[in-house]
Amino acid sequence: MVTAVRHLGPNWYSAVMGTAAVATAGAALPVRVPGLRTACAAVWALSLALLVILLAARALHWTHHRDQARAHLLDPATAPFYGCLAMALSAVGGGALTVGRDWIGTGAAVALDAVLFTAGTVVGLAAAVAVPYLMAVRHRIEPSQATPVWLLPLVAPMVSAALGPLLVPHLPSGQARETLLFACFALFGLSLLATLLMLPLVFARIVTGGPLPLILTPSLFLVLGPLGQSTTAVGIFADVAPGVVPAPYSEGFGILAVLHGVPVMGFALLWFGLATAHVLRARRHGMGFAMTWWAFTFPVGTCVTGAEALARHTGLVVFDGLAVGLYVVLVAAWTVVAACTVRGVVSGALLAGPRPAPAAPRPVTGRTTSGAVR
C-alpha cells in the first residue's frame, strides 16, 4: 500500500469533485425523475467515501514519500492540482446539505458541511496564494507551457463562494448570516478577477502555440469551471440574500444573477464547443485515457448548476432544457471516466510511475561514394 501511493498526486481529488458534481447537479434539476434523488444521494455517499480514501492515501504519500511530494510542489505541471483538494472538500460538504441530508439527517449534514467548507476554504485560499508564488519564484515557466490547469488553484475560492451560502440559513440571524454571505461574495470577486488575469495567458497559448499535447487536451474543459461556478454562485447569492442583507443589496444580488450569469453562460457554451472540437481532433490523433479525462466531469457540472440557477431567476424554459441536456452529458462522461479509472487502478497502470523516456538512437554516419559524410 505504501509503495502504491508513491505516485499518487493531488490530481486524484478530481475524481471526488466529478463524483460530487453528479450528485449536487442532479438534485437540483428542474425535472422530477422517479428515483433520481435517491441515486444522487448514493453518488454523494460514493464521493464522501472516495474523499476519505484519498485523504488517507495522500497522508501516506506525504509520510512515506516526502521526496515525491516535494517534487510535485516544485513541478509546474502538478502543483496547480493542489487546488483540487480544496474543491473536493467543499464539493462533498455542499453535497451533504443538498442531497446527503436525506441519508444522514440535516443536523449531521450541517456539521459535516461546516467542517469541510471551512477546511476547503482555508486550503483553497492557501493554494490560490502559494501556487502562483511558486510559479513565479521556484518554477521556471515559459509562455508556451500555459495550460488551463493553471486555473485550478484560482477557481478553488469560487467553489467556496458558491457552496458557502448553503450554510447561511443555519446560522443565527443578523451579523453571522450577513458576514458569511459577504465573505462568500468576496471569495467570488477574488476568484473571478484572478481568473480574468490568467485566462488570457491560456487562450493566447492555444491560439499562438498550437493545440495542447494530446494528454492535456481534456484540460480545456477546465475553463468551464470558473464560468459555470461563478454563474452558480451569483444565483445562490440571490436565493439567500432576501432577509439576510438589507435592500437594495438583496435586490442587487437578484439583478447580478441575471446580468452576470447570462453572458457568462453564453461564453461557456462557446468554450464548450471549442474544447469539444479540440478533443475530437485529439481522439483522431490517438489520445488515450489519462486522469485528465476527469476534466470532462466537474466543469460540466458547474455549468449544469449555473443553468439551473438561471432557470430559477429568469423563469425561461430554455435554461431548464440546457440544464437537463448538460446533465445528460455529465452523467455520460462520468460513467465512461469512472469505468476507465477503475480499470486503470485494478491493472495498476494509473498508480505506476512515469515511464522513462526511450533512449535516443546513436547517430549513424556514413560516406557516399564521393566521400561526403552523411
Side-chain angles (χ1 to χ4, degrees):
M1 177 62 182
V2 172
T3 303
V5 301
R6 175 167 177 77
H7 300 286
L8 186 75
N11 59 319
W12 279 78
Y13 287 112
S14 60
V16 179
M17 297 156 56
T19 304
V22 172
T24 55
L29 282 177
V31 295
R32 294 291 175 265
V33 178
L36 176 60
R37 189 168 179 89
T38 301
C40 289
V43 173
W44 171 80
L46 175 61
S47 71
L48 177 60
L50 288 174
L51 177 62
V52 172
I53 292 170
L54 281 175
L55 286 174
R58 288 286 295 163
L60 287 174
H61 173 83
W62 269 96
T63 301
H64 297 281
H65 304 289
R66 292 183 183 177
D67 61 323
Q68 189 70 15
R70 287 192 293 268
H72 286 164
L73 280 173
L74 297 179
D75 182 358
T78 305
F81 283 101
Y82 273 88
C84 290
L85 168 58
M87 291 186 279
L89 292 168
S90 298
V92 174
L97 269 183
T98 54
V99 67
R101 63 183 181 183
D102 294 352
W103 286 15
I104 64 175
T106 300
V110 170
L112 179 60
D113 188 22
V115 172
L116 294 181
F117 167 75
T118 302
T121 301
V122 172
V123 174
L125 289 173
V129 173
V131 174
Y133 175 82
L134 288 173
M135 293 172 70
V137 175
R138 298 297 300 274
H139 303 163
R140 294 294 178 262
I141 298 175
E142 299 293 333
S144 60
Q145 294 176 277
T147 72
V149 171
W150 290 6
L151 295 171
L152 287 172
L154 305 178
V155 179
M158 185 67 78
V159 177
S160 293
L163 297 174
L166 298 176
L167 288 168
V168 169
H170 301 281
L171 294 176
S173 59
Q175 287 279 327
R177 292 185 179 184
E178 191 170 351
T179 299
L180 178 57
L181 181 58
F182 277 123
C184 291
F185 194 32
L187 292 171
F188 164 85
L190 179 160
S191 181
L192 181 63
L193 294 176
T195 298
L196 292 177
L197 290 175
M198 190 67 77
L199 189 55
L201 300 177
V202 175
F203 188 67
R205 156 64 183 86
I206 295 170
V207 173
T208 62
L212 294 174
L214 297 183
I215 195 172
L216 288 176
T217 301
S219 69
L220 288 170
F221 276 81
L222 295 176
V223 176
L224 297 177
L227 304 176
Q229 199 68 280
S230 66
T231 303
T232 302
V234 292
I236 296 179
F237 294 158
D239 294 337
V240 173
V244 174
V245 296
Y249 304 118
S250 57
E251 290 86 352
F253 277 118
I255 296 171
L256 180 64
V258 176
L259 295 187
H260 171 88
V262 173
V264 169
M265 184 58 67
F267 180 67
L269 293 176
L270 169 66
W271 194 273
F272 186 95
L274 175 65
T276 300
H278 274 265
V279 167
L280 292 176
R281 174 195 172 276
R283 285 293 286 173
R284 290 196 302 269
H285 285 76
M287 180 186 75
F289 175 74
M291 287 298 290
T292 50
W293 281 35
W294 281 100
F296 297 142
T297 60
F298 54 89
V300 176
T302 68
C303 292
V304 175
T305 55
E308 290 167 348
L310 287 175
R312 292 195 305 272
H313 292 284
T314 64
L316 295 177
V317 177
V318 66
F319 288 118
D320 289 332
L322 179 61
V324 173
L326 289 174
Y327 189 70
V328 171
V329 173
L330 170 62
V331 172
W334 180 85
T335 302
V336 172
V337 178
C340 290
T341 302
V342 171
R343 188 182 307 120
V345 171
V346 172
S347 68
L350 288 180
L351 295 175
R355 296 177 181 177
R362 297 179 61 184
V364 177
T365 59
R367 289 189 178 274
T368 65
T369 54
S370 65
V373 177
R374 61 178 177 87

